[in-house]
Structures are given as C-alpha cells and as structure tokens.
Amino acid sequence: MSYLAESYERFMVPSLFAPWATYLLQRANPQLGEHVLDIACGTGIVARTVASHVGSRGLVIGLDLNPDMIDMARVAAKGDEIAMEWHTGPAEQLPFPDENFDLILCQFGLMFFTDRHAALKEMHRVLKKDGRVVLSVWQGLDRHPFYQTLHDVSLRHFGKSSVEAVFSLGNSDKLHNLLTDSGFRQVTMEPVSITAYFPRPEEFLAWEIDINPAEAPALQNLDKEAQQAILAAARQDMQSSLEEVLHENQVVLQFHAHIAQARR
C-alpha cells in the first residue's frame, strides 16, 4: 500500500471527502437492500458511508483505477459490519452485467475519466430500469481562488499543472448534456457549497503541491537537490495565499460543487 493512499485517507478524507459524502448520500437516499456501485471510490469513504443505509441485505461495491487506493479501501473497511466488494478497473469498462445496480454514486471522479461519455454509458448499462445515478463534480476554477493561484504557481515552476483538470467540469450545462447524451433522463443539477477545515497547514500545502518529478517538464533531468529547490520555491510562492485562508492554525476553504441526479 502506498504512502499517498494512506495520506489521502488520513488527511484528505476527514476534512473534505467525508463531509461531501454525507451531502451526496442525502441526495441519493439509499434504501435497505439496494445494490450500490461507487465508481472512482478512492479509499472508499462513499462506499463505507452508504453501507449502513443498505444493510446486510444490500450490496456495496467500490471500483477505482488505482490499486493502491483499493488496497487502502479494504484496510479502512475492515471491521465494518456490512461486507463490501472492491474492484480495480476503469470506469469506461465496468466488469458487471447489465441492469445490476439500483444506485450508482461517483464523488468527484467524472472529470478524471479518459472518456467521460463512455463511462456514463457504462453506468447507464449496469443500472436497473429506473435506477439512479448521483454524482458530484467541482464547480469552476473561478470559484476557487486558492486553487487558481496554485494552478498559476504550478505552471510557472513545474511547467505543468493538474489543477485545471480537477475543475474541468464546472459548467453545469456541459455536465447536464453529458448525462442526457448518455441516455439518462430526469437530470437535475444542484449547486452545493461547504466549508472545509484542514489541520496542519504545512501538511495541507505539501499535499496540494505534491508533484511527480517524472511528470513535470521543469523537474526532469535535474538531480534531487535541484528538484527540491524548485519545490521549495513553489511552496514559498504559495505562502501568502496560504496565510489568507488560515484561521486559528487551520486552513479554512470554501468548496463549491454541482451534484447531479438522473435516472436510467
């Protein structure tokens, strides 16, 4: 199991993804006995949260492309009363039969899929008739000024930024059209905002600015010392933005999302 997956579960899930999972499930309204699929499940917070709603007569399956995240999900779910299944694989090729699930959940995953339309068509295929999909995506980068600065700093120092992809489905009309074009009906969109609180500001910044040198043009072909110097310069450039969102030694940030609901 990777350090990244452990750090994600320990640091990001409690502050950000667990609160959002609660909002997602309020809209999904899972019922006892339902079969539920959590796509792009990460370390499994949505799957673990929904399990108590469907009970022992239900079924909960989590799927993610990253095997380290799935390994962490299995560890985190140990001891839960409701048994869950965990699968590694792409959302564009779901390893499940047609009309198999009552509910599909996808929390902040759709924007990362290689082929969003293919992934949604697969969700449509494995849903039972009148089954429902509930998913969340971040609103645009213009609604998240801290991350706009992070995007600019990353481009300047690393020659690459992954930030833009995170917020790439911020247009609700685009998301609505993706769902309808994939065969879904009764599509509704809801803007939702929450305030997240992150302890240990320096750890938060390290998490957000973490980058694989092999994927950053400006860090390639440099020795480790030179790479660390560039990383330190990027962290320094983010300090003023970090201080703007500090309150009582916590990072306090507003996050804005769209929650979409639709039926097969």
Side-chain angles (χ1 to χ4, degrees):
M1 190 192 316
S2 73
Y3 169 77
L4 181 64
E6 290 183 48
S7 176
Y8 179 96
E9 172 65 23
R10 174 180 54 81
F11 190 72
M12 297 301 289
V13 167
S15 295
L16 186 62
F17 295 114
W20 276 111
T22 300
Y23 279 86
L24 195 72
L25 295 186
Q26 285 174 355
R27 276 60 178 181
N29 192 26
Q31 301 295 305
L32 282 171
E34 285 194 318
H35 288 198
V36 181
L37 174 62
D38 177 18
I39 296 180
C41 68
T43 58
I45 184 57
V46 171
R48 301 197 308 268
T49 306
V50 78
S52 61
H53 293 264
V54 302
S56 58
R57 292 187 293 112
L59 171 70
V60 177
I61 296 177
L63 176 139
D64 199 276
L65 187 61
N66 187 324
D68 290 328
M69 290 292 194
I70 290 296
D71 287 345
M72 185 68 240
R74 287 194 179 99
V75 171
K78 276 185 179 176
D80 284 7
E81 293 183 5
I82 311 300
M84 285 167 270
E85 295 180 19
W86 304 101
H87 294 259
T88 303
E92 296 89 346
Q93 294 177 303
L94 297 176
F96 309 112
D98 296 354
E99 300 184 22
N100 197 54
F101 297 97
D102 302 286
L103 172 64
I104 291 178
L105 302 166
C106 182
Q107 176 165 268
F108 303 120
L110 182 63
M111 52 275 195
F112 298 118
F113 298 157
T114 302
D115 188 333
R116 297 163 181 167
H117 186 260
L120 287 169
K121 290 287 285 185
E122 277 289 88
M123 294 182 205
H124 189 273
R125 177 184 67 79
V126 302
L127 268 178
K128 296 177 183 177
K129 288 181 180 177
D130 207 39
R132 59 211 191 278
V133 61
V134 183
L135 57 87
S136 56
V137 300
W138 300 117
Q139 292 183 33
L141 194 55
D142 59 315
R143 299 296 314 277
H144 300 87
F146 177 87
Y147 289 94
Q148 178 66 67
T149 302
L150 179 62
H151 172 65
D152 296 340
V153 167
S154 297
L155 284 178
R156 185 162 63 251
H157 287 283
F158 309 134
K160 176 183 177 177
S161 170
S162 59
V163 175
E164 211 164 32
V166 175
F167 301 96
S168 61
L169 270 177
N171 185 315
S172 61
D173 290 338
K174 182 178 180 180
L175 179 57
H176 188 286
N177 291 339
L178 270 172
L179 285 159
T180 55
D181 291 347
S182 302
F184 288 99
R185 58 189 179 85
Q186 297 181 23
V187 179
T188 63
M189 312 289 298
E190 179 188 3
V192 181
S193 301
I194 71 167
T195 302
Y197 301 85
F198 299 90
R200 304 182 298 281
E202 289 306 318
E203 184 175 354
F204 168 80
L205 186 58
W207 225 104
E208 293 294 355
I209 221 163
D210 181 57
I211 189 164
N212 183 351
E215 297 175 357
L219 299 182
Q220 291 176 13
N221 304 315
L222 298 177
D223 60 30
K224 194 163 186 178
E225 186 176 345
Q227 290 175 354
Q228 289 302 315
I230 292 175
L231 284 165
R235 285 194 291 269
Q236 183 60 42
D237 274 5
M238 286 301 300
Q239 281 303 316
S240 61
S241 292
L242 182 65
E243 288 166 10
E244 287 175 7
V245 296
L246 282 182
H247 299 277
E248 297 181 354
N249 205 36
Q250 288 189 105
V251 174
V252 181
L253 282 173
Q254 265 217 316
F255 287 86
H256 310 279
H258 295 300
I259 295 182
Q261 302 180 60
R263 287 191 179 270
R264 185 184 188 278

